[in-house]
Amino acid sequence: MNHNAILPENPDKLHEECGVFGIIKALAPGEPAGSDPSFSRDPAFDTYNALYALQHRGQESCGIATCSPNGILSLRKGKGLVPEVFASRDLQKMAGATAAIGHVRHANDLMDANPNNAQPIVAHHASGSIALCYNGKLVNSAALKTEMESRGAIFQTTNDAEIITNLIVREHLRTNTLEDAVLNAMEYMIGAFSIVMMDREKLIAARDPNGIRPLCVGKVGDCYVFSSESCAIQSLGGTLIRDIAPGEVAVVDRGELKSYPCAVRHAKSALCMFELIYFARQDSVIDGAPVGVVREEAGRCLARFAKTEADLVVGVPDSGVVAAMGYAKESGIPYGMGLMKNRYIQRTFIQSRKIQRKKSIRIKLNAMSAVVKGKRIILVDDSIVRGGTMARIVQLLRDAGATEVHVKITAPPFVHACYYGTAIPNERHLAAYGRTEEEVCQLICADSLQYMPLGGLEHLSKKLNLRYCDACFSGNYVLPIPKLRSEPLYSVTYPEEETET
Amino acid sequence: MNHNAILPENPDKLHEECGVFGIIKALAPGEPAGSDPSFSRDPAFDTYNALYALQHRGQESCGIATCSPNGILSLRKGKGLVPEVFASRDLQKMAGATAAIGHVRHANDLMDANPNNAQPIVAHHASGSIALCYNGKLVNSAALKTEMESRGAIFQTTNDAEIITNLIVREHLRTNTLEDAVLNAMEYMIGAFSIVMMDREKLIAARDPNGIRPLCVGKVGDCYVFSSESCAIQSLGGTLIRDIAPGEVAVVDRGELKSYPCAVRHAKSALCMFELIYFARQDSVIDGAPVGVVREEAGRCLARFAKTEADLVVGVPDSGVVAAMGYAKESGIPYGMGLMKNRYIQRTFIQSRKIQRKKSIRIKLNAMSAVVKGKRIILVDDSIVRGGTMARIVQLLRDAGATEVHVKITAPPFVHACYYGTAIPNERHLAAYGRTEEEVCQLICADSLQYMPLGGLEHLSKKLNLRYCDACFSGNYVLPIPKLRSEPLYSVTYPEEETET
Amino acid sequence: MNHNAILPENPDKLHEECGVFGIIKALAPGEPAGSDPSFSRDPAFDTYNALYALQHRGQESCGIATCSPNGILSLRKGKGLVPEVFASRDLQKMAGATAAIGHVRHANDLMDANPNNAQPIVAHHASGSIALCYNGKLVNSAALKTEMESRGAIFQTTNDAEIITNLIVREHLRTNTLEDAVLNAMEYMIGAFSIVMMDREKLIAARDPNGIRPLCVGKVGDCYVFSSESCAIQSLGGTLIRDIAPGEVAVVDRGELKSYPCAVRHAKSALCMFELIYFARQDSVIDGAPVGVVREEAGRCLARFAKTEADLVVGVPDSGVVAAMGYAKESGIPYGMGLMKNRYIQRTFIQSRKIQRKKSIRIKLNAMSAVVKGKRIILVDDSIVRGGTMARIVQLLRDAGATEVHVKITAPPFVHACYYGTAIPNERHLAAYGRTEEEVCQLICADSLQYMPLGGLEHLSKKLNLRYCDACFSGNYVLPIPKLRSEPLYSVTYPEEETET
Amino acid sequence: MNHNAILPENPDKLHEECGVFGIIKALAPGEPAGSDPSFSRDPAFDTYNALYALQHRGQESCGIATCSPNGILSLRKGKGLVPEVFASRDLQKMAGATAAIGHVRHANDLMDANPNNAQPIVAHHASGSIALCYNGKLVNSAALKTEMESRGAIFQTTNDAEIITNLIVREHLRTNTLEDAVLNAMEYMIGAFSIVMMDREKLIAARDPNGIRPLCVGKVGDCYVFSSESCAIQSLGGTLIRDIAPGEVAVVDRGELKSYPCAVRHAKSALCMFELIYFARQDSVIDGAPVGVVREEAGRCLARFAKTEADLVVGVPDSGVVAAMGYAKESGIPYGMGLMKNRYIQRTFIQSRKIQRKKSIRIKLNAMSAVVKGKRIILVDDSIVRGGTMARIVQLLRDAGATEVHVKITAPPFVHACYYGTAIPNERHLAAYGRTEEEVCQLICADSLQYMPLGGLEHLSKKLNLRYCDACFSGNYVLPIPKLRSEPLYSVTYPEEETET
């Protein structure tokens, strides 16, 4: 496979780490798993399509584990987008599974850039085999690892999923059921995690007590599914049942969905605000909130908080467009498609350094003169990370004839690191770090700049009846901050990652 | 390279055949070609980026030919998207060229599915070498081929570019300059063609006397460029100078742009209407018409021609969105993002037939319940080809809770074959073929259906001062229809096309 | 580019499982590891070349682990031949290592056909990281695994290397040095194993107490090396120091080679006889015996044991040729190159079943009429597994005009399974299983058949002062036979294995 | 998966350019071509296997053209070894052909290193299509090309096959049959050529009037075949009928083999001596001479011409081995396998320059101490090109303990360029150029050196009743030397050649 230096998802954007999915046939009680010959859906193919719908949550690697009718777990994973890792014949080989789980991943550390770190992980233990994948980040992973190593455990990846698997397996030695092992293990795990796992009989989902990362359950035909986002369920033609509650362990066993609360109490519900503002797909519904509606409302919010004279509202594709439409509706200023994105953008390669970065943005975005010429523009986007991209977009609009460019950001300025699974560059590189709003405005050469105030988020979340984590804006962390992880001690590479130069 | 059955650009859409591009350093008169050591732009890399901007005009294969400072022409071409065929090191090898031409291609016949048919073509002839590529379709290619074969010519592709090259080379035997050879050859060529070619000294562009396919000239830094669409020039940060006129041969020789009219007179200007309605990128300007504005105006047109009661206007992404916004503005009905497209769509593979096609559309598009539920929808798109896709989108909206779906199409129903370079399925498969508007409406299960009337196009084009070809709607061909091409007599395949299964 | 079904190394031959190699710079005592800037040899590149010399011991997958000057272990492994898994740039990335170990592998079970099972294995444990690879087979692996699982261990491969690593890591918790951990672990390991491993400071080799698989130590420039066979040392221009003794643990630490005997006593030395007869490269010296000389002597032996009237001695390439020459010299019958092997044989693909297998041998071997016509042939080879290949070679010679074909085999008939690392087909498929020598002769349609008598082996080994394992001929196992391994419970695949169809 | 810089066939060896093959079903007269449903052989698969047997004649690229029952010619070609270019599914697609031709190629110029230059060539002309491939080199290709260009022809490759095709097509305009066109064309072609071609009905072979390159005809089942060497016929289980005579055009038309002499008279028969000495496979029979026997005889010849005291005769694998055995038999000095070749040699990559070349030979060849230690060695090989490889082999033997090394070469020293298809390095690089035998002996550090005297060749050929070309030894060219070819004016690359770095 020749990836030839694919243009990374905008390096000037935040990154979600992962998306998870799981599906199991809902057998009638008493019916042995995998016995139905008229199996109408194919879990592996459904997982493929679901991962494809979750692709925005991770483009670095992906994997699918399946459970065959006779209870054997198989795994295929690798680097690349879902359709690059799975060819038609791979799915044919996986056909006929009774259950499957899948994962898409964005490495949050450079040291994680090896395919062995791809998920799911499949492990054989004393009483069988399990496959597991998760989205999130443990705060105490180093401590857990050290503790397990001191009892003789070895680690072959630098991945929290391996730690979680070890933990659950250890607990399983003294519990009767896998779900009990998961419930026990959750007492040791501190951080953000949305886990989907299976053994030869059950599909299990678990969400951390704070509910930092999303996780929901739905039904597709006669199958139960767990998914990071509801859009994956919809893409299969299924229906969302509900969100997995913070601290809940949900189990599908012989066709029945059961639910257990974990023993951790008094945890504050704290959905990552960036899931709603930027990460999640607009057509997902998370913890009851339709993402597109939240974003439109965020745009409206901005328009209400301050009034700016302008002729046209323009959204930065793709994620800023709905917010811009909300702004337009609230403000009465017309919306216009002033920026056009090359729809083949995922495949071009990294600009040579010789080409000035200022020019490189043109390959991805084009400002439409016919639309913006002579106009005062309200430019709406979801975030400013380092500031470089926004500065180039502002310039693009000016070059196309815009007379003024007023930038509106639907999130507050973020200045704190995230320890729960969002990859934020080092604080020093953040545009808002150590700069006033005015200084950021100068940095991006805009005529004015307006961030969403923290109060705006509060207002928004009240309306949606939502409790959220805003640590990256406010510094108020819902969980303790981990100690620094030590240096990586080994790395693994497989050939496929090397077809690139 | 693993192409594993990439999802074709919607098989239920029309296809443009090709995009062309050329660039040459504009040397001062008297300065020898290729002598400037401080060559600030790299023609090969610029061509790569330009082809990437023209990728929507052809995804099957692509190629770049370069001219080295010492006048040697090199060629690299293959199957796949631009970044799949060209890796970073390929462009490094091509660095330092004084000129380059490039091509993206969508095969219009199945028999053309071989990489040898990729363009450009590079040929060695009596007085040197030329590289040539074109967009369009000759009506009299079979006759020209037969004539040349009767004089001993052999053909190694099934490509009109090889015929055109032979013709120009033949004429060059009795002309002094390459441009004279092109002018002579144009007297024999009947059909649609936008040619970009070069030899070791000159870059030449030629557009057919009817101007059926677009072609324009611009300047990027110290280079002249020719391009199918202006968006490619803009993506390089350059400026559009003007369109190449129908029947014009434009030559860049030693830094000077010269223009010659071909001898064909009385040709009716006839830009393919589908370039404006669907093929071209929204941010291009073609024959003076900004494509996005034309589409918005087409949406407005539809709103003016008939009034439909509804609650929300929804556009089919990507191409129907601007028209839908125009419709919304004209009608006063609010616009809403009711359909959401998976932005990774280019890479998934073809649905297995086992999965009902009705479900497959969900992988690509999702209707947003929160937006469309309980609403009467105006659904705007640019065309209906076979009808299947539109029927599935209508159903998607209904499933998401839309109470009514009224379909508005910005083009008239098309029922006639195109012989000038647009790949239209066999007439029998066209939704509008042999069906009334009402019958098509039933076919797609919409509550109502409105096509753009032919008069609407006329109105539109008057406003834009544009003469166009509407043969696929009206059957009024500007040029004679070719006799059927005979069976293919050979085919060629190269290994790379086989990495797929 | 696809490899599509490479012709397996003759499926009618026995297979060795693995080859191991390790190299470490021999630093002066006191000198910190990795500090020498003028590092004259590159361990990664040397390992690449050594694996290439050991390629005959395993063609399915291979891997190299390196230790960087700052003590970080890196791993690269994958499916395919050494030059297929490692490209020039991979070795460039690995340049500058202070030590490296490498492995080539032939899967001995179908369930092992996944790349995750490739070796080396790199693991992080309580007090650092280790990289380990081995050749052989543990008899008690299932029991060891169960015991470790009962204490919470998880297994991600179906590979004994992971079990051995766990065992050593467990012992390391209560030992001061890594070599002590290895010595302790050896008390639990029953079976054949030649281990090469390293941590950030030391390179360690260990050979099972019976010495079933070969392992030797040598010096290449200023580096110490361990290798399955001496040919790898020679290919680097180095010198063989000696064989690692059965039960020995050899350690290279800060430039010094130390040796420790393991605690297991009274183990019978028992080198696998097939290493000498067939597996090892002819230019290796194993436990003091030059392989080529052993084979020539085996041929001479056969000639002494029985006299056959004939005109020409022909060897089956490649492994039967030296033995045939020995036979020729002893018998006085001239040697002739009557069989010719296609030297590109490794790369053709599996014959379609439609083609009769009888014909397929011609693609690989050709009998030279000019040499064998009208002659009575002595045909010498090392073994008969199922008999099919030998039958076809006999026929090939007859078709080319040989009047008689007398088959001489340098090994006794083997009829017992091997549990120490040689992949022998199920007993039922063995030509000699349940057949007399005469019946096998009929099976292969030879005029006569002579196996090496068990006494011949004894005679041979006495001359070489060698103790060997002949369990596959005699049924006298030096170690207990394992219980059957249970069904595989999971499998893992990575994309690269899918370049094939 | 990447092949990254495969070790070229020894760069210090001469190279043959090409191998050709063709097969057609021998239909009964009157039976329409391709009508037999019970088609027992598959021409495409047979051609695949035949090319595999001819792989030694060219490893750079290969191709197969097939003729379908309805007369459509298809072509597949690419860079790489036969099993790399053709996967199982490619042959499945080609199944059912009525005829096929195939080609393996070694580029003789660097400028030919593009895949478009691969053969066969398939061309469409006035009265149908033809597929053609050839082995050899035209002396007057530049003149022929210029003449055709002056009449309007264009050339898309830098390949003589395209010139020959044009020539034949031109002649076909004024002849009734394809074979007449070939016969006419041969009057214009000066040089070495063995052509195999087909149209929808006939398979045609043509050999140049001097018979410089081999070509023979055989029968395989109900099919006629043409092949560069008889070994390909044998590998299919067929029988050699006879050699195609110098100047003969052989045609298989509706099951009948017909033969026509070309009009060129008085041409001296002149088979390239290197075909027998080195290029051809040992099991082929060329112009009546069994290649292996010729080589053994050459070894005997050397032993008769001069007597050298020694203890052991060693051949350089693979090609020097038979000659060494001949030498051993004639001289009475025993033969020993003193050199061992790594049988995976085709796949390793080019040594980095940092590693001294002196060491690199060890990767490919190993001298067996146990065999050569303390011995005086006679080392037999077929040729010395630059001398470097031979010097390293001599050193290898000395390092392994040989006390003397006496080099015997079965060809005379060659000092003249070949214009008929053998790629010989520039004269200045030839070991024998400007050096006496003694000086060459010093160059390779041997104790003595003996070349085959020209008289030896004469003696050998008389015995075989063979007329041969010895221009590279004697400078006596059978045909005029061409003028220098001008600079290449263009180059073409396809993606597959880029999987390498």
Side-chain angles (χ1 to χ4, degrees), chain A residues 73 75 89 124 493 498, chain C residues 75-76 89 93 490 493 498:
Chain A
L73 302 188
L75 173 60
R89 65 176 171 277
H124 187 47
T493 61
E498 300 298 325
Chain C
L75 172 59
R76 181 178 173 79
R89 65 175 172 278
K93 282 186 197 167
Y490 55 92
T493 61
E498 300 299 323

Side-chain angles (χ1 to χ4, degrees), chain D residues 174-185:
Chain D
R174 50 189 183 193
T175 56
N176 219 6
T177 67
L178 183 56
E179 50 268 39
D180 281 352
V182 174
L183 286 161
N184 277 6

Side-chain angles (χ1 to χ4, degrees), chain B residues 379-451:
Chain B
L379 181 66
V380 183
D381 203 358
D382 47 56
S383 58
I384 296 175
V385 181
R386 297 163 190 243
T389 296
M390 185 53 78
R392 287 190 283 275
I393 295 172
V394 170
Q395 188 58 45
L396 212 58
L397 286 169
R398 291 199 199 281
D399 289 353
T403 55
E404 294 175 17
V405 183
H406 302 275
V407 175
K408 310 286 175 185
I409 300 298
T410 56
F414 63 92
V415 288
H416 299 281
C418 175
Y419 299 101
Y420 312 141
T422 301
I424 293 182
N426 190 294
E427 291 172 353
R428 291 169 306 169
H429 297 129
L430 297 175
Y433 186 74
R435 281 197 188 85
T436 63
E437 205 164 297
E438 205 152 285
E439 286 167 343
V440 176
C441 183
Q442 284 172 349
L443 184 76
I444 62 174
C445 302
D447 291 287
S448 78
L449 167 64
Q450 181 195 349
Y451 281 108

Side-chain angles (χ1 to χ4, degrees), chain D residues 141-422:
Chain D
S141 56
L144 289 171
K145 198 171 186 176
T146 301
E147 192 270 344
M148 285 185 281
E149 283 174 354
S150 73
R151 295 203 264 166
I154 62 171
F155 289 90
Q156 298 179 54
T157 73
T158 53
N159 201 309
D160 283 3
E162 197 181 13
I163 295 169
I164 295 173
T165 304
N166 267 282
L167 199 56
I168 291 172
V169 162
R170 189 189 73 185
E171 293 304 318
H172 202 4
L173 289 176
R174 50 189 183 193
T175 56
N176 219 6
T177 67
L178 183 56
E179 50 268 39
D180 281 352
V182 174
L183 286 161
N184 277 6
M186 282 172 76
E187 297 190 40
Y188 297 91
M189 292 156 59
I190 303 172
F193 54 87
S194 286
I195 296 170
V196 170
M197 59 188 293
M198 66 176 174
D199 66 4
R200 54 181 297 156
E201 290 179 335
K202 301 169 184 173
L203 183 72
I204 297 180
R207 191 174 178 194
D208 67 79
N210 301 97
I212 295 171
R213 296 292 154 204
L215 191 59
C216 62
V217 59
K219 202 144 191 204
V220 179
D222 55 348
C223 298
Y224 277 109
V225 298
F226 295 122
S227 176
S228 281
E229 290 185 34
S230 64
C231 65
I233 301 174
Q234 235 178 319
S235 78
L236 301 175
T239 46
L240 171 64
I241 297 175
R242 61 175 175 84
D243 291 276
I244 300 296
E248 175 181 355
V249 174
V251 184
V252 186
D253 184 9
R254 298 173 181 272
E256 249 183 296
L257 175 66
K258 295 171 194 166
S259 172
Y260 307 89
C262 81
V264 180
R265 306 283 171 223
H266 310 303
K268 183 195 165 203
S269 275
L271 178 70
C272 168
M273 198 60 202
F274 262 103
E275 291 283 348
L276 296 175
I277 295 291
Y278 170 59
F279 295 142
R281 233 171 75 169
Q282 203 162 294
D283 52 341
S284 285
V285 177
I286 294 185
D287 286 354
V291 174
V293 173
V294 174
R295 289 183 192 161
E296 187 175 332
E297 188 56 34
R300 286 180 184 274
C301 237
L302 281 171
R304 276 194 299 265
F305 272 92
K307 206 173 168 67
T308 308
E309 292 266 319
D311 306 309
L312 198 75
V313 181
V314 169
V316 179
D318 299 317
S319 42
V321 170
V322 201
M325 286 185 176
Y327 192 102
K329 283 173 189 167
E330 188 71 27
S331 65
I333 303 168
Y335 177 82
M337 287 189 71
L339 290 170
M340 162 86 196
K341 193 180 171 185
N342 185 334
R343 61 181 161 126
Y344 296 93
I345 197 63
Q346 274 122 27
R347 314 298 306 170
T348 199
F349 69 81
I350 295 152
Q351 288 295 119
S352 103
R353 258 148 297 171
K354 285 180 297 185
I355 309 296
Q356 302 94 309
R357 288 194 168 274
K358 208 162 106 193
K359 277 174 193 165
S360 85
I361 192 79
R362 291 183 195 278
I363 309 296
K364 293 182 272 177
L365 276 183
N366 199 1
M368 296 181 62
S369 270
V371 175
V372 303
K373 198 167 195 173
K375 301 265 176 65
R376 294 167 301 168
I377 304 293
I378 300 279
L379 180 66
V380 183
D381 202 358
D382 45 57
S383 58
I384 296 175
V385 182
R386 297 165 190 242
T389 297
M390 185 54 78
R392 287 188 285 273
I393 295 173
V394 170
Q395 188 58 44
L396 213 58
L397 287 168
R398 292 200 198 279
D399 289 351
T403 54
E404 294 176 16
V405 183
H406 303 274
V407 175
K408 309 286 176 185
I409 301 297
T410 56
F414 62 95
V415 287
H416 299 281
C418 175
Y419 300 101
Y420 314 140
T422 301

